[in-house]
Amino acid sequence: MEISIIGAGYVGLVTASCFAELGNRVICVDNDLIKIKKLKKLILPIYEPGLKELVKRNVKRKRLSFSTSIKEAVDNSKIIFIAVGTPAKENGEPDLTGIENVAFQVAKHLKSYRLIVEKSTVPVETGIWIKRTIQLNNIKKVDFDVASNPEFLREGSAIHDFMHPDRIILGVESERAKELLFRLYQPIKAPILITDIKSAELIKHASNSFLATKISFINAIAQICEKTGADIVKVAEGIGLDKRIGKEFLKAGAGYGGACLPKDLDAFINIAEKLGYDFQLLKVVKKINEDQKNFIIKKISNALWILEGKTVGVLGLTFKPNTDDIRNSVSLQIIEELKKERVNIKAYDPKGIPKVRKLFKDIKLYNSPYKVAEDSDCLLVITEWEEFKNLNFNKIKRLMHQPLIVDARNIFDPEKLKTMGFQYIGVGR
Ligand code: UDX
């Protein structure tokens, strides 16, 4: 099929290259000229495992192309996905000017039937606004449909998640839209749920809020574990074996970050407020997540006594492993707080360094975990990259000023480290 994706961010770029891989002809559009110029030269703006190869292969096969022209997209595709960013405004509301602008542009160039699909995470009822905007600016009165097809992929495993989703949600208003999307998704083996547009939009809000709730719940249980001497890793395992609960998203640690969960939660609390519902549960979920950072900082200060002048070696800067994304990274938020206490920070991350170097000029960055450990009073692991799990701890112990490890993601075996002579501090254990 001939389709377009407007927006070449994480969701847009992955969606475009995966649909191309499935055999469709895809145009990926973005208004950032430099980004599109680079993409044409196969230089990607983000790191996502496997994405570069996928883009390369499909550009070569002429199934994937890049453009800054929405007109080109509308002229050449039956289905147009909107995957532009919806950054949070200061009051927590998502900024939808990007979406409105795309709707307006699409309307201006409509010549024959098109299906416009919202894929960005948007407030419930945005679909209606997209429809109204297109109707008002659709001078030739061309037939069109609007649909909602929320995306659930996670950064770091985005291609796998796109190709093997747990479910596909299609919020549609006509048989025609339903059939087009069915055809497009036919090669992907996953249950398809057909809903109205508003329900599809709400499914996305509710899913991300539920995931955030699971994380804050387990972080709250971790507090109780610490106070009683229980082990959160075992407790989470025991809870997760109940099929009704499930074992995913029950890792206690430093709390959730990233471009989605914090922003989506704020947006949902805000939407509920506007609809006249005080979503107290989600407000507490947010509060627990914010407190979790302070809880980690407290662990460091309890172990180091005086913070001023001490050196903390930080392993992990991205908001999660297997990405270079540092948006809302808990690691960077903790570093900022430690810097206020005049702690010297040394840091390492397998993929995050270029973005951190650009935005946080005053963090000392090193190219190996061992350089970070050297002369540190505390080694703080805050993003659970695989390479941190197999460090040479004998070497680390020799290099550190004092052998203290704060494992904010519970990735190490406490007994092993204690036997080696480390002071080990985890979360909820
Ligand atoms: C999330 C949703 O999972 C995805 O469905 C949605 O489309 C976009 O938002 P993403 O932000 O890429 O995806 O990452 P995710 O894997 O959900 O992790 C979010 C944050 O939660 C990370 O900071 C991670 O470290 C944290 N997390 C996750 C935990 O603290 N504990 C867990 O058990 C799981």
Side-chain angles (χ1 to χ4, degrees), residues 82-98:
I82 307 181
V84 297
T86 53
K89 292 195 282 194
E90 290 225 331
N91 61 1
E93 268 180 48
D95 181 352
L96 300 178
T97 43

Side-chain angles (χ1 to χ4, degrees), residues 174-194:
S174 76
E175 269 307 301
R176 195 173 186 180
K178 183 174 128 186
E179 270 161 29
L180 276 171
L181 288 170
F182 251 90
R183 231 170 81 203
L184 183 65
Y185 275 109
Q186 195 242 331
I188 295 184
K189 301 283 163 271
I192 295 184
L193 181 70
I194 306 291

Side-chain angles (χ1 to χ4, degrees), residues 152-153 155 204 249-251 256-257 260 319-320 409:
F152 300 97
L153 58 82
E155 291 180 22
K204 176 71 188 190
F249 269 71
L250 282 181
K251 281 201 205 89
Y256 58 81
C260 292
F319 88 94
K320 65 185 271 189
R409 297 282 175 191

Side-chain angles (χ1 to χ4, degrees), residues 56 69 90 119 128 149 174 216 228 295 302 318 365 389 417:
K56 254 187 191 170
S69 161
E90 290 225 331
K119 213 168 204 358
I128 294 175
N149 168 223
S174 76
S216 281
T228 55
F295 181 53
N302 282 346
T318 51
L365 300 165
K389 294 180 185 163
L417 291 182

Side-chain angles (χ1 to χ4, degrees), residues 121 151-156 204 208 211 215 218-219 248-261 264 319-321 328 330 384 409:
T121 303
E151 183 50 62
F152 300 97
L153 58 82
R154 290 161 301 175
E155 291 180 22
K204 176 71 188 190
N208 274 1
L211 292 172
I215 300 170
I218 205 67
N219 282 331
E248 304 289 329
F249 269 71
L250 282 181
K251 281 201 205 89
Y256 58 81
C260 292
L261 295 192
D264 292 355
F319 88 94
K320 65 185 271 189
N328 278 317
V330 179
E384 64 277 34
R409 297 282 175 191

